[in-house]
């Protein structure tokens, strides 16, 4: 056994990692990075701006410097490149929504032992939670997809396709990027009624209202209206159990024209289900928030697609952050 495995260091690091998590969450919640912006401020200046206690704010700022999210010059604090690019609301690459979504999940994660014993969720689904939680969930999806969708749309050839279904498309980020990359493409985002305002705002912000329509619907309760030649199912299957996933895929296949392309984007587990790390942890996140959701392996997704009559099933040469992958096939 190596010395590293005999040392308690790695276990202590895992056990205490949430101190860093909570420091970041508090700073984003208090909007420290936006308050500092492109200026250099003292602890007292920042305390006044965010309405906090000077000593406590200064301790928070010093910890953020230690985490490389701020920089310290004498007694003044400025944003680091990471803080400026991703944590200030002024930046187009602001990631605060997904960080606040993670913050909202903490309450359920600290009850993981309860969920493991009961096998039941300990939090409500985002679609039925408060407006504030829903906003950070849906706009958090926007934060994640904004970093990924340009890469995905460059990788997938939709030059021969004319109408894309973005099923459970949330704010419509992928539909927007597929349409940007393919000037002839129209898209339909089908999602729950509660998602509509976020999607419409996002679609309008990108000037895509004339090419992307929003369709209110529930893919568990109803068939999918319309006819499409490509369907994109991104990060929706993990919210459901295997039977529901099969039903969603069958409904999608029924809405596709012959020769249509179906693509499933998920955090994909190894066939042994014990890695990579993020999809394995994400499965627990689904245990905490759904009755039967989980991460799936490539084999499981492939079988679900094959059962619905999808042919030519293959994994695209694409690996997103946190081991997301795309499995595609034709009907
Ligand atoms: C994790 S988000 C993924 C959003 C988007 N596809 C992406 O990858 O960024 C899951 C989406 O599925 C939607 N959704 C969940 N259950 C649904 C249902 N029964 N019918 C339609 N949409 C649903 C949610 O509202 C949410 O927008």
């Amino acid at each position: 056994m190596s010395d590293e495995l005999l040392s308690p260091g790695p276990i202590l690091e895992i056990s205490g990692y949430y101190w860093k998590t909570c420091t970041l969450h508090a700073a984003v919640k208090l909007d420290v990075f936006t308050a500092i912006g492109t200026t250099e401020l003292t602890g007292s200046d920042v305390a006044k701006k965010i309405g906090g206690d000077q000593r406590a704010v200064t301790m928070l700022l010093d910890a953020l410097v230690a985490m490389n999210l701020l920089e310290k010059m004498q007694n003044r604090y400025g944003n680091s490149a990471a803080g400026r690019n991703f944590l200030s609301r002024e930046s187009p690459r602001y990631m605060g929504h997904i960080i606040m979504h993670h913050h909202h999940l903490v309450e359920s994660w600290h009850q993981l032992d309860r969920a493991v014993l009961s096998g039941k969720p300990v939090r409500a689904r985002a679609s039925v939670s408060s407006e504030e939680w829903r906003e950070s969930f849906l706009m958090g999806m926007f934060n994640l997809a904004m970093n990924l969708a340009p890469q995905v749309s460059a990788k997938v050839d939709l030059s021969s396709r004319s109408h894309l279904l973005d099923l459970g498309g949330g704010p419509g980020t992928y539909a927007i990027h597929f349409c940007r990359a393919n000037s002839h493409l129209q898209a339909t985002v089908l999602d729950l009624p509660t998602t509509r305002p976020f999607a419409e705002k996002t679609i309008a912000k990108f000037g895509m209202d004339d090419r992307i329509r929003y369709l209110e619907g529930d893919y568990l309760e109803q068939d999918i209206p319309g006819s499409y030649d490509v369907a994109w199912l991104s990060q929706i299957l993990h919210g459901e159990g295997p039977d529901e996933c099969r039903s969603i895929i069958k409904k999608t296949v029924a809405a596709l024209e012959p020769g249509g392309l179906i693509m499933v984007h998920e955090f994909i587990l190894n066939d042994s289900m014990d890695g990579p790390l993020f999809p394995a942890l994400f499965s627990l996140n689904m245990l905490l928030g759904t009755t039967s959701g989980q991460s799936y392996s490539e084999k499981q997704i492939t079988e679900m697609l094959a059962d619905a009559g999808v042919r030519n099933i293959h994994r695209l040469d694409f690996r997103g952050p946190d081991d997301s992958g795309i499995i595609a096939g034709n009907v």
Side-chain angles (χ1 to χ4, degrees):
M1 196 180 280
S2 77
D3 283 353
E4 195 189 321
L5 290 176
L6 288 173
S7 127
I11 292 177
L12 286 175
E13 191 186 334
I14 296 171
S15 177
Y17 207 90
Y18 72 99
W19 291 8
K20 281 191 201 169
T21 304
C22 292
T23 303
L24 172 63
H25 290 186
V28 169
K29 194 170 178 182
L30 297 171
D31 221 1
V32 165
F33 304 96
T34 312
I36 294 176
T38 52
T39 61
E40 290 172 5
L41 302 177
T42 64
S44 159
D45 296 333
V46 177
K48 276 193 202 108
K49 277 195 146 190
I50 66 171
D53 173 83
Q54 183 185 327
R55 172 173 168 272
V57 168
T58 306
M59 289 162 92
L60 175 67
L61 298 178
D62 283 330
L64 293 168
V65 173
M67 288 164 63
N68 298 321
L69 298 174
L70 292 180
E71 285 169 357
K72 191 172 183 180
M73 289 76 48
Q74 307 289 353
N75 64 339
R76 292 184 172 271
Y77 300 87
N79 273 309
S80 68
R84 205 170 30 255
N85 281 324
F86 299 113
L87 302 172
S88 164
R89 282 182 192 272
E90 304 302 324
S91 168
R93 300 174 77 190
Y94 177 66
M95 292 183 64
H97 296 296
I98 189 66
I99 292 168
M100 287 313 295
H101 171 58
H102 288 161
H103 179 60
H104 293 147
L105 298 182
V106 172
E107 205 178 306
S108 57
W109 271 92
H110 99 260
Q111 300 177 64
L112 179 58
D113 54 336
R114 224 160 54 78
V116 167
L117 289 180
S118 70
K120 296 201 166 64
V122 295
R123 66 167 188 258
R125 292 191 75 140
S127 52
V128 294
S129 56
S130 74
E131 187 72 13
E132 185 202 340
W133 281 44
R134 196 158 51 240
E135 177 176 24
S136 55
F137 170 64
L138 289 169
M139 296 319 285
M141 295 306 114
F142 173 75
N143 285 163
L144 294 180
M146 273 303 282
N147 282 314
L148 210 54
Q151 293 172 47
V152 172
S153 54
K155 196 99 197 166
V156 177
D157 180 12
L158 297 185
S159 54
S160 63
R161 310 283 167 181
S162 58
H163 197 167
L164 172 117
L165 167 69
D166 188 355
L167 191 64
T173 330
Y174 285 100
I176 291 167
H177 281 86
F178 281 129
C179 283
R180 276 182 141 187
N182 299 277
S183 56
H184 55 281
L185 193 68
Q186 307 270 330
T188 296
V189 175
L190 188 152
D191 206 297
L192 299 169
T194 43
T195 304
R196 182 189 273 276
F198 302 99
E200 287 186 338
K201 202 162 116 194
T202 311
I203 293 164
K205 196 164 116 194
F206 285 84
M208 286 280 175
D209 335 41
D210 54 337
R211 292 173 58 200
I212 304 177
R213 74 170 176 143
Y214 189 87
L215 192 59
E216 284 182 10
D218 185 327
Y219 48 60
L220 294 177
E221 300 295 327
Q222 62 183 85
D223 288 340
I224 297 166
S227 176
Y228 311 88
D229 56 5
V230 49
W232 171 249
L233 281 61
S234 173
Q235 307 293 13
I236 62 170
L237 296 185
H238 63 236
E240 314 300 335
D243 291 345
E244 289 80 14
C245 290
R246 280 174 208 279
S247 156
I248 294 167
I249 291 173
K250 281 203 177 100
K251 289 175 184 179
T252 307
V253 166
L256 280 169
E257 294 162 7
L261 173 68
I262 178 168
M263 292 181 285
V264 172
H265 176 225
E266 284 290 329
F267 300 119
I268 302 179
L269 280 169
N270 299 334
D271 290 342
S272 55
M273 309 294 281
D274 55 1
L277 177 61
F278 187 85
L281 291 174
F282 196 77
S283 238
L284 291 175
N285 192 41
M286 289 299 101
L287 171 73
L288 292 165
T290 66
T291 47
S292 52
Q294 62 167 91
S295 299
Y296 292 101
S297 67
E298 180 171 341
K299 183 165 173 275
Q300 288 174 316
I301 297 172
T302 301
E303 281 171 5
M304 289 173 192
L305 288 166
D307 282 356
V310 178
R311 299 168 292 106
N312 182 28
I313 302 167
H314 58 286
R315 185 160 178 174
L316 301 193
D317 174 24
F318 166 83
R319 197 168 288 272
D322 297 327
D323 286 291
S324 82
I326 301 170
I327 300 176
N330 296 96
V331 302

